[in-house]
Amino acid sequence: MFSYEFMRNAFAAGTIIAIICGIMGVFVIARNMSFLTHTLSEIGFSGAAFGVFAGWAPLNGMLLFTVVSSVIVGQLSARSERREAATSAISALFIGLGILFLSLANKNASYATSILFGSVIGISAGDVRQMLWLSLLVLVVVFVIYRFLKFDSFDHTGARVKGLWTNVLSITFLVLLALSVSVAAQIVGSLLIFILLTLPAATAKYFAHTVGGMMVLAIALALIGVWSGLVLSYVTNFPVSFFIAAIEAIFYFIALGWQRLQTAE
Amino acid sequence: MADAAPILKLEHLGVTFPNHPVFSDLNLTIRQGEIWSIIGKNGVGKTTLMRTILHQLRPTHGKITYLPSQSDVTIGYVPQFRNIDADYPLTIKDFVGLNLTGWKLPWLSGKERAKVAKILDQTGLKQLAKRPIGQASGGEKQKAYLAQALVEAPNLLILDESTASLDPVTKTELLDLVAELNRRLRLTVLFVTHDIPMAQKYTQHYLMLTPGGIEQGPIAQLTTEKVWEGENV
């Protein structure tokens, strides 16, 4: 399996994605942003389609669309009473735009499928390097603002009364999330990216006792899902995103069952 | 106590929201180690006043002076509401440590861990340090909120209706603890409350905000008649 360059690239990319999603996912869950993450992934689809239409690499189109729109989405959904409706409207608009760009680019349905559901064979060594640099950027920023971000994510009221610049933190986090979505979409596709950004961390929440522990467990669960998904996809020739989605969902349901047992005791 | 140095001076202080004056011409001197009740019915501006003291709102009129200088007055604030998910993997110890922010490494240093341990000890939470905050009782949570507010050793503590949801026994326990910290650490306390008997038991002075004006004085002068006269709580 590792004699093929595309599989080596896929494993390298998958490892980077699992680490970034494990860390960012903890904050996504703490900030209740699962639905917003889903919207960003749809915006990513639209951006990738725009990239194809404009003759760019899909990742660059994704980066442009997700980073610019993350701030707008964050502002529009800042008020909880309109969050779901505003997010749904943006989601619908960007899926429509994605379809339009693909149509204008004269690309067929298989191209759309590749963007939406990801592809193992399409990742080059250059893609891996670009993902690595973007991921390092995300990790360095998270490292620098970690204490502020942790306080704001797990105790927003406390952070606000402390006088932390919570609005700036929120926008910074959304931009980091947009970068993570663009990176992670390369393997699982834009439609399923929220799996890796939400499920491993949501599962880890039930087993970990500290935020650091939740992060380590989320990374481990994401790595298990991605690596197993890649192997199973290689062996069966079925889509990798199916296996990753199934494995992470099973982990999550096991965690829910375990939590129920704990509560019943 | 009257000889203690002032740490906070409010002079002709007023806050006006668009077309709605909240309070005006408020004059108040708070001295080190005093415990004040801030009372008044909902909407008279108690929380607005606290947010102004916390620099979160700018006064429309007058000024606040922190003494001897602004950097000498550090404030711990325990708000009325908190939204902590029951499933968060956050122990009481970690929750208290959240307040130790700054451009520092993600993990706490030995000195910072010692600070957390000390305040957990002082607030009676040492045995509960590893309990997830989501699984703590109402009283334990309030103690954890108090410990978080105190971890940086502030010299002014604001309790903003933070005992409102507690049962009488737990409320008494928490206020006993605050009174002890006040004695031991010379902590100045502003206790925003609707609970007049608790204010009379634990505080020395009162500031009553009413729609028509402001009244202040020693707590002994706060009679039930005075409170109920204008339906002021």
Side-chain angles (χ1 to χ4, degrees):
Chain A
M1 181 170 68
F2 288 107
S3 59
Y4 294 105
E5 193 194 349
F6 75 88
M7 281 310 286
R8 288 199 300 273
N9 290 339
F11 265 88
T15 305
I16 296 169
I17 289 167
I19 293 169
I20 212 83
C21 287
I23 292 170
M24 290 298 287
V26 167
F27 297 110
V28 168
I29 295 301
R31 299 171 84 88
N32 281 322
M33 281 188 170
S34 301
F35 194 38
L36 192 66
T37 307
H38 183 53
T39 299
L40 272 180
S41 67
E42 281 153 359
I43 293 171
F45 161 67
S46 180
F50 176 78
V52 172
F53 163 67
W56 301 354
L59 176 58
N60 293 340
M62 268 191 170
L63 283 172
L64 175 72
F65 270 50
T66 53
V67 170
V68 171
S69 61
S70 62
V71 179
I72 303 165
V73 172
Q75 292 301 314
L76 277 175
S77 57
R79 282 171 52 188
S80 58
E81 66 271 21
R82 71 174 182 209
R83 183 175 294 154
E84 293 219 346
T87 312
S88 300
I90 295 162
S91 182
L93 174 68
F94 275 92
I95 289 177
L97 278 174
I99 293 164
L100 174 70
F101 288 133
L102 278 183
S103 160
L104 290 172
N106 286 322
K107 292 290 176 187
N108 59 21
S110 72
Y111 213 93
T113 308
S114 164
I115 294 173
L116 282 169
F117 301 110
S119 162
V120 179
I121 52 170
I123 296 171
S124 68
D127 291 337
V128 174
R129 274 195 297 278
Q130 192 179 6
M131 287 160 71
L132 184 64
W133 286 119
L134 285 169
S135 303
L136 279 175
L137 174 69
V138 172
L139 289 179
V140 167
V141 177
V142 169
F143 189 84
V144 171
I145 65 169
Y146 183 83
R147 288 204 191 190
F148 302 108
L149 191 59
K150 184 178 164 189
F151 198 179
D152 186 42
S153 303
F154 286 89
D155 180 15
H156 179 65
T157 310
R160 217 160 31 82
V161 300
K162 169 96 175 175
L164 296 190
W165 16 270
T166 50
N167 284 341
V168 177
L169 270 174
S170 180
I171 291 168
T172 308
F173 179 74
L174 283 168
V175 172
L176 293 175
L177 188 60
L179 291 174
S180 310
V181 163
S182 302
V183 168
Q186 304 309 303
I187 276 203
V188 286
S190 60
L191 201 59
L192 293 174
I193 179 54
F194 68 96
I195 292 168
L196 284 177
L197 272 165
T198 55
L199 287 186
T203 306
K205 185 171 81 164
Y206 294 112
F207 296 107
H209 300 295
T210 63
V211 175
M214 181 179 170
M215 225 169 248
V216 170
L217 191 53
I219 291 172
L221 291 168
L223 278 172
I224 292 170
V226 170
W227 286 344
S228 313
L230 283 170
V231 172
L232 290 168
S233 172
Y234 178 81
V235 172
T236 62
N237 214 19
F238 288 136
V240 65
S241 44
F242 158 70
F243 289 113
I244 296 175
I247 292 165
E248 298 300 346
I250 288 168
F251 283 153
Y252 182 67
F253 291 132
I254 290 172
L256 283 185
W258 187 82
Q259 164 76 358
R260 178 164 282 200
L261 279 176
Q262 293 287 107
T263 320
E265 274 172 13
Chain B
M1 195 63 73
D3 295 324
I7 66 163
L8 198 62
K9 228 173 191 173
L10 281 52
E11 294 169 274
H12 307 291
L13 195 75
V15 172
T16 302
F17 291 150
N19 306 320
H20 168 53
V22 184
F23 57 82
S24 60
D25 206 25
L26 170 56
N27 293 288
L28 179 69
T29 300
I30 293 169
R31 294 171 188 279
Q32 195 187 353
E34 289 180 343
I35 308 186
W36 281 75
S37 297
I38 313 296
I39 57 177
K41 63 181 184 182
N42 290 337
V44 292
K46 300 187 298 296
T47 295
T48 302
L49 173 60
M50 295 306 114
R51 290 184 63 196
T52 313
I53 292 171
L54 280 161
H55 316 282
Q56 289 180 356
L57 284 175
R58 212 174 268 239
T60 324
H61 311 284
K63 64 172 182 175
I64 302 179
T65 313
Y66 302 85
L67 296 162
S69 71
Q70 189 161 324
S71 60
D72 289 312
V73 180
T74 48
I75 306 174
Y77 180 75
V78 186
Q80 185 179 5
F81 299 111
R82 211 82 176 212
N83 187 16
I84 308 284
D85 190 312
D87 296 325
Y88 280 170
L90 205 59
T91 60
I92 287 179
K93 184 176 70 172
D94 287 342
F95 175 79
V96 172
L98 285 177
N99 200 13
L100 297 169
T101 54
W103 300 102
K104 297 171 185 167
L105 291 171
W107 47 90
L108 298 186
S109 67
K111 217 179 228 178
E112 288 172 321
R113 285 200 301 274
K115 264 187 187 180
V116 173
K118 188 178 166 192
I119 200 65
L120 288 174
D121 192 28
Q122 285 176 338
T123 49
L125 289 169
K126 197 176 170 183
Q127 306 301 323
L128 304 171
K130 290 185 179 169
R131 176 170 294 182
I133 184 111
Q135 290 172 21
S137 69
E140 290 162 356
K141 275 185 189 150
Q142 282 299 336
K143 275 189 185 176
Y145 303 158
L146 178 68
Q148 193 199 63
L150 294 175
V151 72
E152 288 273 50
N155 42 22
L156 174 63
L157 175 70
I158 299 175
L159 300 172
D160 194 352
E161 296 188 39
S162 41
T163 58
S165 58
L166 299 179
D167 63 70
V169 175
T170 314
K171 198 181 283 191
T172 305
E173 265 179 33
L174 192 82
L175 289 172
D176 279 343
L177 175 65
V178 171
E180 194 197 324
L181 293 169
N182 159 263
R183 275 192 299 275
R184 206 174 344 144
L185 310 173
R186 300 260 296 146
L187 187 68
T188 309
V189 182
L190 301 183
F191 178 41
V192 181
T193 186
H194 293 285
D195 192 331
I196 301 305
M198 285 293 172
Q200 287 168 328
K201 183 175 174 188
Y202 287 99
T203 71
Q204 300 136 4
H205 309 271
Y206 76 95
L207 172 76
M208 186 160 68
L209 300 177
T210 68
I214 292 158
E215 195 177 303
Q216 58 181 290
I219 197 74
Q221 290 176 11
L222 181 70
T223 57
T224 313
E225 293 74 31
K226 194 176 275 181
V227 173
W228 284 105
E229 226 166 49
E231 293 180 0
N232 287 320
V233 287

